[in-house]
Amino acid sequence: MTTLETLAPLPASGMFSYAWLMIAVPLVMAAVLLLFGSILDRVGHWMAVAAVGFSFAIAVCLFSQQLLSAPEARAVSVPLFDWITTGSWTVSAGLLVDQLSILFALLITGVGSLIHIYSVGYMAHDERRRRFFAYLNLFIAAMLVLVLADNYLVLFVGWEGVGLASYLLIGFWQHKPSAAAAAKKAFVMNRVGDLGMTMAVMSMLALFGSSAFVAVNAGAGHLDAGWATTIGLLLLLGACGKSAQVPLQAWLLDAMEGPTPVSALIHAATMVTAGVYLVVRSHAIFEMSSAATTAVVVVGTVTLLAGAWIGTSKDDIKKVLAGSTMSQIGYMMLAAGLGPVGYAFAIFHLLTHGFFKANMFLGAGSVMHGMADDVNMRHYGALSKAMRITFLTFAMGYLAIIGFPFFAGYFSKDHIIEAAFGVSTIAGVCALVGAGITAFYMTRLMLMTFLGEKRWQDGVHPHESPKVMTVPLVILAVFSVGAGLLMNWWIQEWLEPAVGNHVEELSLVPGPIGWLTLLVVAAGVALAWFLFGARPVPAVAPASSNPFTLAGRNDLFGDAINNTLVVQPTLVAARGLVANDDRIIDALADGSASMMTGLSSQTRRLQTGQVRTYALTMTIGVLAVGAVMILTQLG
């Protein structure tokens, strides 16, 4: 098996020497849009679109050149500059364009370009549109740094840049208290994960003397189980923060307060995929610790079920899709934790998910555009005729995510379920159950939004979105249909040199587990039809005492749990520190000050201003010194 441990990347030449432009162009454009002010208000959005389109063109050119190269010549190192130098120790900044990073670059810039184009129409009437596009460009640049870095320290720069950009975009409408709070919540919870990431990178520097992927992969084989487990768990903590995995998932649904294109960018092409990338990129470390890989499987399995559970109970169309993202990223994490048998399937599902989830999030934005920004699906119904393009494109994403035969998700997610059964029956059963729940809540969304009777609010007149919004939907719908079949045959062999995955023979005809999965999916669709298609949908959510429904509506009480286990104990500890500061620290400081004040008052009395007193004091002093010297000699 050929892996990065034995195959070092080649030095950059030709077109690869300009790979850094993928990052530099959107980054510089973000700065231009922010610094040059209102003079760019009329054209700034198109400048941002052009910047990301340029990055996509470079990614396509590099990918094409890799396709034409032999497998051993596809990984290329692009040195940039010496970043940190102290003594004999040097950290260089550079890029690694290999089989894994180029797929992410294509996804980020390709789907990102479509989201930028869509945003031109969606944000047309926003007074701060230029600033919004600057933040989008910053987001793209930071994510490209993350996935193209050739070492963990440079990756961490992109990691933090993504955190900053997400904060700015989630809270873009900061005049809304809910948006400002959501941005702060996402930022703080991601900092918790970043602590794990920071400690993992520092451990690598201490153990290997370098954070370069090649050095870490080569040295990982010499790690003892304890260190491998420690670093693996720290990396997993970082991944949980960025990818909204249990227990750091609570920020994701609140992030829907940002403009809908932001939701599509975060949930489909950028931020939440970073954790999956980190685990797969760090495969050499995880393979040295069964405890760490088991933790990844457990986190992914729990999250895929938790996200699906939340999706069944929400009436906000964006929050249903947010719960869906949690669940689908859980599938990817599960696959990444399965080891070599699952790496390629994790990335496969990440790519197909990027297409159909961006399609559905932008479709949800199109629905909101036609429904006066109402997000409540109970106020929708019968939109399939009023918004035919949105309906048809959204339907392609729906069929892809539930795993309808030969749509994108049918290939990628079903491979994960089969691989899970091959490693752990419990994980396989949970993944299978998650597929059924996914079919249920996504069918519920389709029925409540596009079919059934009208439940429109007074004064709402649904209409189709402009072409600048629908054209990206059509393109994403095409990939939601065909991306799975397109990648099914080659993605395993393509990724093998980068991640060392195990290549399996795949067939278009489902096996026993595949047929069972289709049966479970059909059951989920039928149940949703029975509950929401065959009977009227009330315009107001009925009260429920069902604990499962209540838990889903309240995001599985994630905020309450965090408040009880983290926030309140932290507040108590802070109040205790304040009390100790008042009673002990301040008392010691005030006491020492009072003592010095009293001592100085007594000492001041010696300063009489009379010469005879000073002469007497000096005489007494001389006599005392003389007496001491005489006694010393006699002794």
Side-chain angles (χ1 to χ4, degrees), residues 47 74 141 161 175 195 212-213 225 232 246 260 266 273 299 331 341 349 360 427 473 482 497 504 527 529 541 602 625:
M47 293 169 64
R74 288 172 178 165
H175 60 275
L195 289 175
F213 296 146
V246 173
T260 299
I266 290 176
T273 65
V299 166
Y331 273 104
V341 73
H349 194 52
M360 289 189 288
L473 292 179
E504 295 183 352
L527 179 60
W529 174 262
Q602 296 300 319
V625 171

PDB file of all heavy atoms in Angstrom, residues 47 74 141 161 175 195 212-213 225 232 246 260 266 273 299 331 341 349 360 427 473 482 497 504 527 529 541 602 625:
ATOM      1  N   MET A  47     -16.705  41.518  -8.197  1.00  0.00           N
ATOM      2  CA  MET A  47     -15.268  41.344  -7.999  1.00  0.00           C
ATOM      3  C   MET A  47     -14.999  40.130  -7.108  1.00  0.00           C
ATOM      4  O   MET A  47     -14.077  39.341  -7.348  1.00  0.00           O
ATOM      5  CB  MET A  47     -14.664  42.602  -7.375  1.00  0.00           C
ATOM      6  CG  MET A  47     -14.683  43.819  -8.297  1.00  0.00           C
ATOM      7  SD  MET A  47     -14.260  45.364  -7.430  1.00  0.00           S
ATOM      8  CE  MET A  47     -12.568  45.019  -6.959  1.00  0.00           C
ATOM      9  N   ARG A  74       1.680  12.834  -8.241  1.00  0.00           N
ATOM     10  CA  ARG A  74       0.515  13.695  -8.057  1.00  0.00           C
ATOM     11  C   ARG A  74       0.571  14.551  -6.795  1.00  0.00           C
ATOM     12  O   ARG A  74      -0.152  15.540  -6.682  1.00  0.00           O
ATOM     13  CB  ARG A  74      -0.754  12.843  -8.035  1.00  0.00           C
ATOM     14  CG  ARG A  74      -1.120  12.294  -9.403  1.00  0.00           C
ATOM     15  CD  ARG A  74      -2.251  11.295  -9.341  1.00  0.00           C
ATOM     16  NE  ARG A  74      -2.607  10.833 -10.678  1.00  0.00           N
ATOM     17  CZ  ARG A  74      -3.350   9.763 -10.924  1.00  0.00           C
ATOM     18  NH1 ARG A  74      -3.810   9.026  -9.918  1.00  0.00           N
ATOM     19  NH2 ARG A  74      -3.627   9.414 -12.170  1.00  0.00           N
ATOM     20  N   ALA A 141     -10.737  31.965   1.448  1.00  0.00           N
ATOM     21  CA  ALA A 141      -9.286  31.989   1.574  1.00  0.00           C
ATOM     22  C   ALA A 141      -8.821  31.222   2.802  1.00  0.00           C
ATOM     23  O   ALA A 141      -7.857  30.442   2.742  1.00  0.00           O
ATOM     24  CB  ALA A 141      -8.793  33.441   1.635  1.00  0.00           C
ATOM     25  N   GLY A 161      -8.703  31.203  10.973  1.00  0.00           N
ATOM     26  CA  GLY A 161      -9.306  32.117  10.008  1.00  0.00           C
ATOM     27  C   GLY A 161     -10.732  31.746   9.688  1.00  0.00           C
ATOM     28  O   GLY A 161     -11.614  32.618   9.563  1.00  0.00           O
ATOM     29  N   HIS A 175     -27.587  43.583  14.121  1.00  0.00           N
ATOM     30  CA  HIS A 175     -28.650  44.388  14.726  1.00  0.00           C
ATOM     31  C   HIS A 175     -29.724  43.504  15.351  1.00  0.00           C
ATOM     32  O   HIS A 175     -30.511  43.974  16.170  1.00  0.00           O
ATOM     33  CB  HIS A 175     -29.274  45.307  13.677  1.00  0.00           C
ATOM     34  CG  HIS A 175     -29.878  44.569  12.510  1.00  0.00           C
ATOM     35  ND1 HIS A 175     -29.122  44.171  11.426  1.00  0.00           N
ATOM     36  CD2 HIS A 175     -31.143  44.144  12.263  1.00  0.00           C
ATOM     37  CE1 HIS A 175     -29.900  43.555  10.548  1.00  0.00           C
ATOM     38  NE2 HIS A 175     -31.129  43.512  11.036  1.00  0.00           N
ATOM     39  N   LEU A 195      -8.641  24.449  21.771  1.00  0.00           N
ATOM     40  CA  LEU A 195      -7.692  24.079  22.818  1.00  0.00           C
ATOM     41  C   LEU A 195      -7.113  22.693  22.547  1.00  0.00           C
ATOM     42  O   LEU A 195      -5.910  22.465  22.706  1.00  0.00           O
ATOM     43  CB  LEU A 195      -8.395  24.097  24.180  1.00  0.00           C
ATOM     44  CG  LEU A 195      -8.769  25.476  24.738  1.00  0.00           C
ATOM     45  CD1 LEU A 195      -9.564  25.326  26.025  1.00  0.00           C
ATOM     46  CD2 LEU A 195      -7.519  26.313  24.996  1.00  0.00           C
ATOM     47  N   ALA A 212       5.138  19.180  10.191  1.00  0.00           N
ATOM     48  CA  ALA A 212       4.895  18.843   8.785  1.00  0.00           C
ATOM     49  C   ALA A 212       4.205  17.484   8.685  1.00  0.00           C
ATOM     50  O   ALA A 212       4.532  16.556   9.433  1.00  0.00           O
ATOM     51  CB  ALA A 212       6.196  18.830   8.005  1.00  0.00           C
ATOM     52  N   PHE A 213       3.268  17.373   7.764  1.00  0.00           N
ATOM     53  CA  PHE A 213       2.522  16.118   7.617  1.00  0.00           C
ATOM     54  C   PHE A 213       3.460  14.944   7.346  1.00  0.00           C
ATOM     55  O   PHE A 213       3.289  13.861   7.911  1.00  0.00           O
ATOM     56  CB  PHE A 213       1.501  16.233   6.478  1.00  0.00           C
ATOM     57  CG  PHE A 213       0.432  17.253   6.702  1.00  0.00           C
ATOM     58  CD1 PHE A 213      -0.089  17.977   5.641  1.00  0.00           C
ATOM     59  CD2 PHE A 213      -0.064  17.503   7.968  1.00  0.00           C
ATOM     60  CE1 PHE A 213      -1.075  18.924   5.835  1.00  0.00           C
ATOM     61  CE2 PHE A 213      -1.053  18.445   8.183  1.00  0.00           C
ATOM     62  CZ  PHE A 213      -1.559  19.165   7.103  1.00  0.00           C
ATOM     63  N   ALA A 225       1.369   3.801  22.466  1.00  0.00           N
ATOM     64  CA  ALA A 225      -0.099   3.880  22.424  1.00  0.00           C
ATOM     65  C   ALA A 225      -0.628   5.060  23.226  1.00  0.00           C
ATOM     66  O   ALA A 225      -1.623   5.690  22.843  1.00  0.00           O
ATOM     67  CB  ALA A 225      -0.701   2.574  22.934  1.00  0.00           C
ATOM     68  N   GLY A 232      -4.529  11.780  19.329  1.00  0.00           N
ATOM     69  CA  GLY A 232      -5.752  11.485  18.575  1.00  0.00           C
ATOM     70  C   GLY A 232      -6.979  12.089  19.220  1.00  0.00           C
ATOM     71  O   GLY A 232      -7.829  12.682  18.541  1.00  0.00           O
ATOM     72  N   VAL A 246     -21.091  15.962  18.579  1.00  0.00           N
ATOM     73  CA  VAL A 246     -21.330  15.829  20.012  1.00  0.00           C
ATOM     74  C   VAL A 246     -19.979  15.660  20.713  1.00  0.00           C
ATOM     75  O   VAL A 246     -19.145  14.858  20.260  1.00  0.00           O
ATOM     76  CB  VAL A 246     -22.240  14.611  20.280  1.00  0.00           C
ATOM     77  CG1 VAL A 246     -22.368  14.334  21.769  1.00  0.00           C
ATOM     78  CG2 VAL A 246     -23.621  14.828  19.651  1.00  0.00           C
ATOM     79  N   THR A 260     -28.822  33.060   4.495  1.00  0.00           N
ATOM     80  CA  THR A 260     -28.877  31.682   4.012  1.00  0.00           C
ATOM     81  C   THR A 260     -27.648  31.264   3.200  1.00  0.00           C
ATOM     82  O   THR A 260     -27.186  30.127   3.340  1.00  0.00           O
ATOM     83  CB  THR A 260     -30.159  31.471   3.189  1.00  0.00           C
ATOM     84  OG1 THR A 260     -31.287  31.723   4.034  1.00  0.00           O
ATOM     85  CG2 THR A 260     -30.242  30.047   2.674  1.00  0.00           C
ATOM     86  N   ILE A 266     -21.167  27.295   5.123  1.00  0.00           N
ATOM     87  CA  ILE A 266     -20.680  26.622   6.331  1.00  0.00           C
ATOM     88  C   ILE A 266     -21.030  25.142   6.307  1.00  0.00           C
ATOM     89  O   ILE A 266     -20.206  24.286   6.634  1.00  0.00           O
ATOM     90  CB  ILE A 266     -21.274  27.291   7.588  1.00  0.00           C
ATOM     91  CG1 ILE A 266     -20.665  28.677   7.790  1.00  0.00           C
ATOM     92  CG2 ILE A 266     -21.047  26.421   8.828  1.00  0.00           C
ATOM     93  CD1 ILE A 266     -21.264  29.440   8.961  1.00  0.00           C
ATOM     94  N   THR A 273     -16.837  20.686   7.283  1.00  0.00           N
ATOM     95  CA  THR A 273     -16.048  19.599   6.684  1.00  0.00           C
ATOM     96  C   THR A 273     -14.618  19.570   7.211  1.00  0.00           C
ATOM     97  O   THR A 273     -13.895  18.598   6.988  1.00  0.00           O
ATOM     98  CB  THR A 273     -16.015  19.730   5.148  1.00  0.00           C
ATOM     99  OG1 THR A 273     -15.312  20.935   4.793  1.00  0.00           O
ATOM    100  CG2 THR A 273     -17.423  19.784   4.571  1.00  0.00           C
ATOM    101  N   VAL A 299     -18.294   9.059  18.486  1.00  0.00           N
ATOM    102  CA  VAL A 299     -18.735  10.435  18.270  1.00  0.00           C
ATOM    103  C   VAL A 299     -19.564  10.540  16.989  1.00  0.00           C
ATOM    104  O   VAL A 299     -20.642  11.159  16.967  1.00  0.00           O
ATOM    105  CB  VAL A 299     -17.524  11.386  18.211  1.00  0.00           C
ATOM    106  CG1 VAL A 299     -17.927  12.752  17.645  1.00  0.00           C
ATOM    107  CG2 VAL A 299     -16.929  11.565  19.601  1.00  0.00           C
ATOM    108  N   TYR A 331     -22.014  10.731   9.795  1.00  0.00           N
ATOM    109  CA  TYR A 331     -21.704   9.595   8.917  1.00  0.00           C
ATOM    110  C   TYR A 331     -20.247   9.655   8.452  1.00  0.00           C
ATOM    111  O   TYR A 331     -19.543   8.634   8.405  1.00  0.00           O
ATOM    112  CB  TYR A 331     -22.621   9.606   7.696  1.00  0.00           C
ATOM    113  CG  TYR A 331     -23.938   8.902   7.896  1.00  0.00           C
ATOM    114  CD1 TYR A 331     -25.113   9.621   8.090  1.00  0.00           C
ATOM    115  CD2 TYR A 331     -24.027   7.516   7.877  1.00  0.00           C
ATOM    116  CE1 TYR A 331     -26.328   8.988   8.270  1.00  0.00           C
ATOM    117  CE2 TYR A 331     -25.244   6.868   8.054  1.00  0.00           C
ATOM    118  CZ  TYR A 331     -26.395   7.610   8.247  1.00  0.00           C
ATOM    119  OH  TYR A 331     -27.595   6.972   8.425  1.00  0.00           O
ATOM    120  N   VAL A 341     -10.536   1.138   5.682  1.00  0.00           N
ATOM    121  CA  VAL A 341     -11.704   0.723   4.922  1.00  0.00           C
ATOM    122  C   VAL A 341     -12.702   1.868   4.731  1.00  0.00           C
ATOM    123  O   VAL A 341     -13.568   1.807   3.849  1.00  0.00           O
ATOM    124  CB  VAL A 341     -12.398  -0.469   5.634  1.00  0.00           C
ATOM    125  CG1 VAL A 341     -13.119  -0.013   6.900  1.00  0.00           C
ATOM    126  CG2 VAL A 341     -13.382  -1.162   4.700  1.00  0.00           C
ATOM    127  N   HIS A 349     -18.519  10.785   0.677  1.00  0.00           N
ATOM    128  CA  HIS A 349     -19.780  11.336   1.158  1.00  0.00           C
ATOM    129  C   HIS A 349     -19.654  12.833   1.434  1.00  0.00           C
ATOM    130  O   HIS A 349     -20.615  13.586   1.242  1.00  0.00           O
ATOM    131  CB  HIS A 349     -20.230  10.606   2.422  1.00  0.00           C
ATOM    132  CG  HIS A 349     -21.650  10.876   2.804  1.00  0.00           C
ATOM    133  ND1 HIS A 349     -22.705  10.732   1.928  1.00  0.00           N
ATOM    134  CD2 HIS A 349     -22.201  11.299   3.983  1.00  0.00           C
ATOM    135  CE1 HIS A 349     -23.842  11.043   2.537  1.00  0.00           C
ATOM    136  NE2 HIS A 349     -23.555  11.403   3.775  1.00  0.00           N
ATOM    137  N   MET A 360     -29.811  22.195  -1.341  1.00  0.00           N
ATOM    138  CA  MET A 360     -31.011  22.327  -0.509  1.00  0.00           C
ATOM    139  C   MET A 360     -30.991  23.589   0.344  1.00  0.00           C
ATOM    140  O   MET A 360     -32.030  24.219   0.554  1.00  0.00           O
ATOM    141  CB  MET A 360     -31.174  21.082   0.353  1.00  0.00           C
ATOM    142  CG  MET A 360     -31.588  19.857  -0.457  1.00  0.00           C
ATOM    143  SD  MET A 360     -32.024  18.439   0.562  1.00  0.00           S
ATOM    144  CE  MET A 360     -30.417  17.957   1.177  1.00  0.00           C
ATOM    145  N   ALA A 427     -22.423  -0.133  15.254  1.00  0.00           N
ATOM    146  CA  ALA A 427     -22.292   1.057  14.417  1.00  0.00           C
ATOM    147  C   ALA A 427     -23.088   0.901  13.130  1.00  0.00           C
ATOM    148  O   ALA A 427     -23.731   1.854  12.656  1.00  0.00           O
ATOM    149  CB  ALA A 427     -20.823   1.329  14.102  1.00  0.00           C
ATOM    150  N   LEU A 473     -28.770  26.733  -8.533  1.00  0.00           N
ATOM    151  CA  LEU A 473     -29.567  25.601  -8.069  1.00  0.00           C
ATOM    152  C   LEU A 473     -29.591  24.486  -9.104  1.00  0.00           C
ATOM    153  O   LEU A 473     -29.475  23.300  -8.767  1.00  0.00           O
ATOM    154  CB  LEU A 473     -30.996  26.054  -7.760  1.00  0.00           C
ATOM    155  CG  LEU A 473     -31.203  26.986  -6.568  1.00  0.00           C
ATOM    156  CD1 LEU A 473     -32.676  27.346  -6.430  1.00  0.00           C
ATOM    157  CD2 LEU A 473     -30.699  26.340  -5.281  1.00  0.00           C
ATOM    158  N   GLY A 482     -25.715  13.238 -10.382  1.00  0.00           N
ATOM    159  CA  GLY A 482     -24.677  12.464 -11.057  1.00  0.00           C
ATOM    160  C   GLY A 482     -23.338  12.346 -10.371  1.00  0.00           C
ATOM    161  O   GLY A 482     -22.499  11.534 -10.789  1.00  0.00           O
ATOM    162  N   PRO A 497      -2.965   6.829  -2.434  1.00  0.00           N
ATOM    163  CA  PRO A 497      -1.610   7.284  -2.097  1.00  0.00           C
ATOM    164  C   PRO A 497      -1.576   8.334  -0.990  1.00  0.00           C
ATOM    165  O   PRO A 497      -0.572   8.477  -0.304  1.00  0.00           O
ATOM    166  CB  PRO A 497      -1.106   7.879  -3.423  1.00  0.00           C
ATOM    167  CG  PRO A 497      -1.947   7.247  -4.479  1.00  0.00           C
ATOM    168  CD  PRO A 497      -3.289   7.074  -3.851  1.00  0.00           C
ATOM    169  N   GLU A 504     -11.741  -1.371  -2.416  1.00  0.00           N
ATOM    170  CA  GLU A 504     -12.671  -2.490  -2.539  1.00  0.00           C
ATOM    171  C   GLU A 504     -13.352  -2.462  -3.899  1.00  0.00           C
ATOM    172  O   GLU A 504     -13.538  -1.396  -4.504  1.00  0.00           O
ATOM    173  CB  GLU A 504     -13.745  -2.427  -1.446  1.00  0.00           C
ATOM    174  CG  GLU A 504     -13.207  -2.593  -0.033  1.00  0.00           C
ATOM    175  CD  GLU A 504     -14.331  -2.597   0.989  1.00  0.00           C
ATOM    176  OE1 GLU A 504     -15.484  -2.330   0.605  1.00  0.00           O
ATOM    177  OE2 GLU A 504     -14.064  -2.862   2.167  1.00  0.00           O
ATOM    178  N   LEU A 527     -43.721   6.362   6.401  1.00  0.00           N
ATOM    179  CA  LEU A 527     -44.195   6.898   7.684  1.00  0.00           C
ATOM    180  C   LEU A 527     -44.413   8.403   7.584  1.00  0.00           C
ATOM    181  O   LEU A 527     -45.417   8.929   8.101  1.00  0.00           O
ATOM    182  CB  LEU A 527     -43.172   6.576   8.773  1.00  0.00           C
ATOM    183  CG  LEU A 527     -43.510   7.081  10.183  1.00  0.00           C
ATOM    184  CD1 LEU A 527     -44.835   6.489  10.672  1.00  0.00           C
ATOM    185  CD2 LEU A 527     -42.384   6.772  11.158  1.00  0.00           C
ATOM    186  N   TRP A 529     -45.139  10.073   4.900  1.00  0.00           N
ATOM    187  CA  TRP A 529     -46.330  10.293   4.080  1.00  0.00           C
ATOM    188  C   TRP A 529     -47.601  10.056   4.899  1.00  0.00           C
ATOM    189  O   TRP A 529     -48.561  10.832   4.807  1.00  0.00           O
ATOM    190  CB  TRP A 529     -46.315   9.379   2.862  1.00  0.00           C
ATOM    191  CG  TRP A 529     -47.590   9.462   2.063  1.00  0.00           C
ATOM    192  CD1 TRP A 529     -48.663   8.630   2.096  1.00  0.00           C
ATOM    193  CD2 TRP A 529     -47.930  10.501   1.135  1.00  0.00           C
ATOM    194  NE1 TRP A 529     -49.652   9.060   1.252  1.00  0.00           N
ATOM    195  CE2 TRP A 529     -49.237  10.212   0.650  1.00  0.00           C
ATOM    196  CE3 TRP A 529     -47.271  11.627   0.668  1.00  0.00           C
ATOM    197  CZ2 TRP A 529     -49.869  11.027  -0.281  1.00  0.00           C
ATOM    198  CZ3 TRP A 529     -47.911  12.431  -0.269  1.00  0.00           C
ATOM    199  CH2 TRP A 529     -49.186  12.119  -0.732  1.00  0.00           C
ATOM    200  N   ALA A 541     -47.885  24.297  15.336  1.00  0.00           N
ATOM    201  CA  ALA A 541     -47.395  23.025  15.859  1.00  0.00           C
ATOM    202  C   ALA A 541     -48.201  22.610  17.076  1.00  0.00           C
ATOM    203  O   ALA A 541     -48.340  23.391  18.028  1.00  0.00           O
ATOM    204  CB  ALA A 541     -45.924  23.130  16.229  1.00  0.00           C
ATOM    205  N   GLN A 602       6.185  55.788  62.521  1.00  0.00           N
ATOM    206  CA  GLN A 602       7.074  55.697  63.692  1.00  0.00           C
ATOM    207  C   GLN A 602       8.495  56.111  63.323  1.00  0.00           C
ATOM    208  O   GLN A 602       9.180  56.791  64.117  1.00  0.00           O
ATOM    209  CB  GLN A 602       7.065  54.262  64.226  1.00  0.00           C
ATOM    210  CG  GLN A 602       5.721  53.800  64.764  1.00  0.00           C
ATOM    211  CD  GLN A 602       5.223  54.663  65.909  1.00  0.00           C
ATOM    212  OE1 GLN A 602       6.025  55.059  66.779  1.00  0.00           O
ATOM    213  NE2 GLN A 602       3.927  54.984  65.910  1.00  0.00           N
ATOM    214  N   VAL A 625      28.835  49.865  67.834  1.00  0.00           N
ATOM    215  CA  VAL A 625      29.693  49.122  66.908  1.00  0.00           C
ATOM    216  C   VAL A 625      30.994  48.746  67.589  1.00  0.00           C
ATOM    217  O   VAL A 625      31.511  47.617  67.471  1.00  0.00           O
ATOM    218  CB  VAL A 625      29.954  49.948  65.635  1.00  0.00           C
ATOM    219  CG1 VAL A 625      31.027  49.275  64.773  1.00  0.00           C
ATOM    220  CG2 VAL A 625      28.683  50.132  64.856  1.00  0.00           C
TER     221      VAL A 625
END
